Amino acid sequence: MSLKPSKPDSTSHSLPRDNHARGNRLSESTVSPNSVTDPFSSPLTKNDDKKSGSLITVLIAVGANVLIAIAKTFGAFTTGSASMIAEAAHSWADAGNGTLLLVAEKKSVKPADKSHPLGYGKESYVWSMIAAFGVFMAGSIVSIYTGITEWNAAETETNYTIGFIILAVAFVLEGFSLMQAYLQSKKQGEVLNISAVGYVIDTSNPTLRGVFFEDLAAVIGLVIAAAAMGMHAYTGAPFWDALGSIIVGILLGAVAIFLISRNRDFLVGYKVSERMHCYVLGKLIDHPDIDSVSYLHLEWVGPKKIFMVAAVDFAGNPEEETLAHKLEAIENQFRASDLFQEAILTLSVPNAEILRLPDNENS
């Protein structure tokens, strides 16, 4: 029952389809020193390749953003467009954000130790928040400031051909990166029977969320910049170009505020979804040695890493020594799953109210 550091695993795991938790009993025979059968994993959560999908996604995003940022910077100097300057700032912000997300990925998988018995999973939220606050807000401020200063600029001849070509190429690259993030989110969301966007919003993986919304904002920003530059070229009024820069800046600020808010949620302690709660409760109730569960606390302590505390009552009246071994054995069964960073069980107090699964979970 003691708090023991769990062996970390960088592979992301998702909730399997088995929502009823029936027929998949945890038993002591599932645990051995050299081979562990993970009752919480599904075909989508197997560690077939060590590089997580989110890491591949962010690597693609960083590479695309660096190339795009260089091209947009060239376009900004060539055309003098305020919207293009905003887009260049946007892409450099995205590249910096991706770099920080890579740091988050690396830091969050450090092994648990005496000073951090629940691991370093929350490092990912810290670095993701720094990325959102520092990089996105920097891009937002630059974009809005550029738009304001160019609002009353003198009317000049415009030749945005190079700018439009750069925006078109950027749209293709950003679209490819967004599609990669979307497909990964859709794949994981199907396991939970939710949409790709719903998964990205609720996932405990800040890297995937950061890349997805970064790329979504980039694609929308490109459309805004192209429209603003087009209106400037058509009407000759420079305020259209300035307006585009301001709108891109507002878009970046909105994304930053959203990501800061979500990372804050997980840093201060974010409970798992009701579906996940019912799933784990079902696993406990279905255990052959457990008679009932009176308390269950499940909290995210990192990407795809749960900290569990539960109070249970055992069938029969085992002796104290036997009881201690049973508690330790069940804890180790949960620790063996990649989904759990730590699991602690204690005994229910007499006459404690028993937790039950909703009717639809028992059907």
Side-chain angles (χ1 to χ4, degrees), residues 321-341:
E321 183 176 352
T322 302
L323 197 59
H325 284 299
K326 285 180 178 290
L327 285 171
E328 184 75 10
I330 298 173
E331 288 174 346
N332 286 335
Q333 289 161 24
F334 279 89
R335 290 168 183 155
S337 167
D338 291 321
L339 185 59
F340 291 86
Q341 178 68 28

Side-chain angles (χ1 to χ4, degrees), residues 226-272:
M229 289 166 61
M231 288 300 294
H232 183 191
Y234 179 74
T235 65
F239 83 88
W240 284 108
D241 194 23
L243 179 62
S245 180
I246 293 173
I247 294 175
V248 169
I250 293 173
L251 175 66
L252 280 172
V255 170
I257 291 171
F258 169 74
L259 292 178
I260 289 170
S261 176
R262 290 304 288 152
N263 283 301
R264 175 187 174 278
D265 288 339
F266 284 92
L267 278 173
V268 299
Y270 197 69
K271 69 175 184 178
V272 303

Side-chain angles (χ1 to χ4, degrees), residues 164-246:
F164 285 127
I165 293 173
I166 291 172
L167 290 181
V169 174
F171 188 87
V172 173
L173 293 175
E174 294 283 13
F176 174 75
S177 181
L178 177 61
M179 185 57 64
Q180 167 70 19
Y182 173 80
L183 291 176
Q184 186 193 349
S185 304
K186 182 181 179 182
K187 182 179 179 181
Q188 297 292 345
E190 286 175 348
V191 180
L192 301 171
N193 196 28
I194 59 176
S195 67
V197 175
Y199 177 80
V200 172
I201 291 174
D202 292 332
T203 182
S204 62
N205 185 350
T207 300
L208 177 61
R209 180 166 42 246
V211 170
F212 182 90
F213 280 100
E214 164 196 312
D215 289 340
L216 181 61
V219 170
I220 296 173
L222 288 168
V223 174
I224 294 171
M229 289 166 61
M231 288 300 294
H232 183 191
Y234 179 74
T235 65
F239 83 88
W240 284 108
D241 194 23
L243 179 62
S245 180
I246 293 173

